[in-house]
């Protein structure tokens, strides 16, 4: 991976890191045979403090499985997840310590909040579980502070409300406030705006961006929507077929995408000016029903996994999967960007 790009927004020590992680499952192929599904293949990623990395890809790309590996919901088949340079301890105590530092924000703010309790209870419970605050006044203070950070003010008033009293955008703010109440180092946000109205998506993205700056948070933002990734992130990692196929600082990647799949994603994305105006997302994205094309990660093809859809595919692409290599300070996995010397067979299928 491109370490220099990854470290551009933060310090030298990554706060969260995937080191050569793979996740294999056993499933059924399209012919009904049991087969090994390689949902994530040898992915390395380094996230630094005050940095937002967007992991972008369509359904089946492996981005959600990668998010689950970072969430400790799966144990990697190969490789490891490290927090502040140390492999994560998966014991009960170790996981509890990890979740105090790495907080998750889900797609569905309604489903992730207890509808029967007021916000002071929902956020207060997280404070009691994961911080030193014990007295009623100390917990109340943390709850109010968290609500203020997400602009749900006056905090005393919102603390007494129930999730059902709130709009979708306000519920997502509560989910973020609950995460913040534990003073985490990292937010792991899995499609946090996909269930919100277009008009309030931008509010939530702006809030996340402000939190990066004001709280020095690091963030992994998982999305199918490259337009929102462009709006929010410092660095984009594009996934296809379980692998990172391109990774670069956001503006560099958008200005000059190297991988044909990144180009396809960008061509399908809404105009960023339109996005800024009203938070619209998804229009023309590859997850739209009529555009979606499932990625068959179950089949371990020998060649580039994008070859069947790639307008620039060469003979070589059907035989060998390109490695992720550094190209001018960025990372890309495509034979088009490897020099002839680096290709396995200089005379095979080179245009
Ligand atoms: Fe296209 Fe070949 Fe590059 Fe794959 S390696 S993206 S098929 S040109």
């Amino acid at each position: 991976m491109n370490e220099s790009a990854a470290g551009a927004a933060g310090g030298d020590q990554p706060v969260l890191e995937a080191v050569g992680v793979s996740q294999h499952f056993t499933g059924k192929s399209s012919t009904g045979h049991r087969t090994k599904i390689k949902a994530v293949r040898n992915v390395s990623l380094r996230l630094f403090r005050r940095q937002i990395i967007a992991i972008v890809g369509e359904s089946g790309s492996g981005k959600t499985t990668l998010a689950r590996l970072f969430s400790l919901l799966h144990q990697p088949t190969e490789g490891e997840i490290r927090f502040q340079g140390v492999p994560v301890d998966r014991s009960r105590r170790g996981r509890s310590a990890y979740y105090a530092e790495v907080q998750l924000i889900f797609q569905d703010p309604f489903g992730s909040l207890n509808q029967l309790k007021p916000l002071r209870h929902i956020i207060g419970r997280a404070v009691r579980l994961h911080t030193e605050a014990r007295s009623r006044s100390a917990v109340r203070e943390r709850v109010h502070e968290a609500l203020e950070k997400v602009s749900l003010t006056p905090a005393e008033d919102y603390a007494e409300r129930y999730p059902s009293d709130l709009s979708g955008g306000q519920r997502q703010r509560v989910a973020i406030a609950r995460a913040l109440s534990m003073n985490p180092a990292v937010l792991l946000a899995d499609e946090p705006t996909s269930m919100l109205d277009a008009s309030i998506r931008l509010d939530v993205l702006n809030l996340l961006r402000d939190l990066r700056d004001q709280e020095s948070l690091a963030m992994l933002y998982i999305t199918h929507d490259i337009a929102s990734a462009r709006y929010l992130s410092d660095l984009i990692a594009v996934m296809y077929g379980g692998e990172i196929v391109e990774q670069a600082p956001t503006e560099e990647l958008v200005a000059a995408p190297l991988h044909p799949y990144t180009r396809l994603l960008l061509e399908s994305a809404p105009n960023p000016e339109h996005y800024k105006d009203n938070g619209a997302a998804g229009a023309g994205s590859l997850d739209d029903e009529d555009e979606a094309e499932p990625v068959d990660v179950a089949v371990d093809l020998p060649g580039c996994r994008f070859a069947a859809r790639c307008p620039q595919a060469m003979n070589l692409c059907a035989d060998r999967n390109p490695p992720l290599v550094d190209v001018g300070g960025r990372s890309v996995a495509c034979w088009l960007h490897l020099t002839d010397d680096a290709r396995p067979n200089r005379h095979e299928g080179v245009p």
Side-chain angles (χ1 to χ4, degrees), residues 245 258-261 263 303-318 320-322 332-338:
V245 295
L258 296 180
H259 197 283
Y261 177 58
R263 278 203 287 278
C304 171
R305 304 187 207 298
F306 189 58
R309 297 171 65 186
C310 181
Q312 290 166 279
M314 307 166 277
N315 291 340
L316 169 63
C317 304
R320 301 286 289 266
N321 192 35
V332 65
C334 173
W335 291 123
L336 289 171
H337 300 285
L338 271 86

Side-chain angles (χ1 to χ4, degrees), residues 23-321:
Q23 180 71 58
H24 303 165
F25 302 108
T26 302
K28 281 193 177 165
S29 69
S30 46
T31 56
H33 293 101
R34 279 172 73 80
T35 186
K36 189 185 278 185
I37 296 171
K38 296 185 176 178
V40 170
R41 307 162 190 251
N42 192 25
V43 166
S44 292
L45 192 72
R46 307 177 86 200
L47 176 69
F48 294 80
R49 196 165 277 276
R50 291 193 79 185
Q51 182 183 40
I52 300 178
I53 296 183
I55 300 174
V56 180
E58 60 196 310
S59 301
S61 63
K63 67 184 188 304
T64 301
T65 304
L66 183 61
R68 285 172 165 260
L69 288 166
F70 278 115
S71 312
L72 309 187
L73 296 173
H74 295 319
Q75 180 148 10
T77 312
E78 293 162 0
E80 62 188 17
I81 302 294
R82 293 181 191 162
F83 178 73
Q84 290 180 336
V86 179
V88 173
D89 171 4
R90 289 176 175 269
S91 69
R92 197 169 165 188
R93 180 179 290 206
R95 293 169 82 91
S96 175
Y98 182 79
Y99 289 135
E101 296 283 2
V102 181
Q103 277 292 306
L104 319 180
I105 298 171
F106 300 100
Q107 273 185 25
D108 178 6
F110 201 75
S112 67
L113 302 175
N114 185 340
Q115 305 305 310
L116 303 175
K117 301 289 184 183
L119 305 191
R120 72 176 148 73
H121 176 93
I122 293 170
I123 300 172
R125 185 166 184 270
V127 170
R128 278 192 203 87
L129 277 175
H130 293 289
T131 76
E132 302 295 308
R134 287 291 174 273
S135 72
R136 197 176 279 203
S137 62
V139 172
R140 188 172 52 223
E141 200 175 311
R142 291 288 282 263
V143 170
H144 290 175
E145 201 178 278
L147 287 170
E148 278 163 11
K149 281 180 185 170
V150 299
S151 301
L152 289 177
T153 55
E156 297 79 3
D157 176 18
Y158 275 93
E160 299 306 319
R161 297 197 195 182
Y162 289 75
S164 56
D165 299 331
L166 306 175
S167 68
Q170 287 174 325
R171 283 185 213 129
Q172 195 56 289
R173 283 173 183 267
V174 173
I176 295 168
R178 180 174 56 181
L180 292 177
S181 70
M182 292 169 254
N183 281 340
V186 179
L187 289 185
L188 187 49
D190 186 4
E191 303 269 18
T193 61
S194 64
M195 294 184 72
L196 302 179
D197 289 344
S199 59
I200 49 181
R201 279 185 194 139
L202 201 59
D203 283 348
V204 172
L205 293 180
N206 285 336
L207 170 63
L208 293 173
R209 208 160 53 173
D210 290 347
L211 290 172
R212 172 199 58 192
D213 299 335
Q214 290 160 13
E215 305 291 316
S216 294
L217 280 169
M219 234 173 272
L220 277 184
Y221 174 63
I222 319 297
T223 185
H224 69 277
D225 172 27
I226 200 164
S228 70
R230 176 181 182 179
Y231 187 78
L232 181 67
S233 68
D234 303 300
L235 184 135
I236 292 178
V238 178
M239 288 192 74
Y240 190 89
E243 297 172 331
I244 291 177
V245 295
E246 183 164 6
Q247 180 173 306
T250 299
E251 285 313 317
E252 282 181 36
L253 180 135
V254 169
L258 296 180
H259 197 283
Y261 177 58
T262 311
R263 278 203 287 278
L264 186 66
L265 280 177
L266 285 165
E267 284 163 13
S268 308
N271 182 326
E273 290 310 313
H274 180 53
Y275 197 92
K276 266 186 217 164
D277 290 343
N278 61 12
S285 84
L286 287 175
D287 270 6
D288 281 2
E289 244 174 79
D290 55 350
E291 298 254 5
E293 188 169 329
V295 180
D296 192 356
V297 294
V299 181
D300 205 6
L301 297 169
C304 171
R305 304 187 207 298
F306 189 58
R309 297 171 65 186
C310 181
Q312 290 166 279
M314 307 166 277
N315 291 340
L316 169 63
C317 304
D319 295 332
R320 301 286 289 266
N321 192 35

